[in-house]
Amino acid sequence: MTALNLDRVARAHVVAPHPDDEAIGAFGLIVALRRRGVIVDVTLVTDGGASHPNSRAWPRARLTAARYAETCRVMSRAGIRRQDLRFLGYADGALGFAGARAEAQLARDVARRPRPDLIVTPSLNDNHADHRAVARAVVRAWPGSIRRLSYLVWPREVPHRPRPRGRQIRLPLGCRSAMKRAALRLYRTQTGDVDDDPDGFLLDRDLLVRFGRPVERFGSRP
């Protein structure tokens, strides 16, 4: 596994399928880039509104607004300026089944930012269909000559794909590890505030430990 080298990166673009994936996959990397003075664009593709579909207290509009606000707070802690944070508003849970036309539109939407030196993308090995759709769109959005790092949130079980693709790259977080764990707990809609949907998603203690581990790992290919 190779140590991450951020030399010659002046502008990076982090793309996340849902509000919280940017922190799960790359919070430490974002902090490291900002501390080096790198401009970091962060794009959130879907609205995150499908995490608790049966909640009466949190209808989709309220849940979406809350998830956007949570992401703004978390990314502020990582050093991201509000003008560098974009929410595209695609429907959570539907993108992975929307087809090639929707992915082509997403590629155009994602690419409406200045050309980066580094693209940080979900992995094509991710088990979530929305994540794979975003990864495919990002491949289409910019030339393949631009350096890429991919992160894996939900490893695929069938077929077995436990790692992001390409050469394996590691970023030890050091003191940023505690920052990341604290940031993940700010996603309160995902960690217990929505308590009237037993089938909704829960970022529980085990997942917080897993996602808050002291090393972030990336692949060199989407």
Side-chain angles (χ1 to χ4, degrees), residues 200-216:
F201 176 74
L202 178 64
L203 192 58
D204 61 16
R205 181 183 178 87
D206 288 344
L207 285 176
L208 286 169
V209 169
R210 173 183 158 191
F211 292 148
R213 58 185 179 263
V215 176
E216 288 181 348

Side-chain angles (χ1 to χ4, degrees), residues 65-81:
R67 295 198 69 178
Y68 284 1
E70 290 167 346
T71 301
C72 289
R73 286 194 292 272
V74 169
M75 287 293 95
S76 176
R77 289 197 175 193
I80 298 300
R81 304 175 302 176

Side-chain angles (χ1 to χ4, degrees), residues 135-212:
R136 289 191 296 266
V138 173
V139 168
R140 300 175 65 163
W142 288 287
S145 58
I146 300 177
R147 183 184 174 194
R148 283 165 163 79
L149 293 174
S150 65
Y151 58 89
L152 187 62
V153 176
W154 307 109
R156 298 196 74 173
E157 298 178 1
V158 181
H160 188 50
R161 296 287 188 270
R163 298 178 180 176
R165 289 159 35 104
R167 181 166 47 90
Q168 301 300 293
I169 299 166
R170 67 194 302 271
L171 174 65
L173 299 186
C175 64
R176 292 169 300 207
S177 181
M179 288 179 62
K180 180 171 182 174
R181 291 193 299 271
L184 291 174
R185 287 193 289 270
L186 292 177
Y187 291 103
R188 298 185 62 174
T189 59
Q190 308 302 289
T191 56
D193 269 15
V194 184
D195 59 4
D196 64 338
D197 183 358
D199 296 322
F201 176 74
L202 178 64
L203 192 58
D204 61 16
R205 181 183 178 87
D206 288 344
L207 285 176
L208 286 169
V209 169
R210 173 183 158 191
F211 292 148

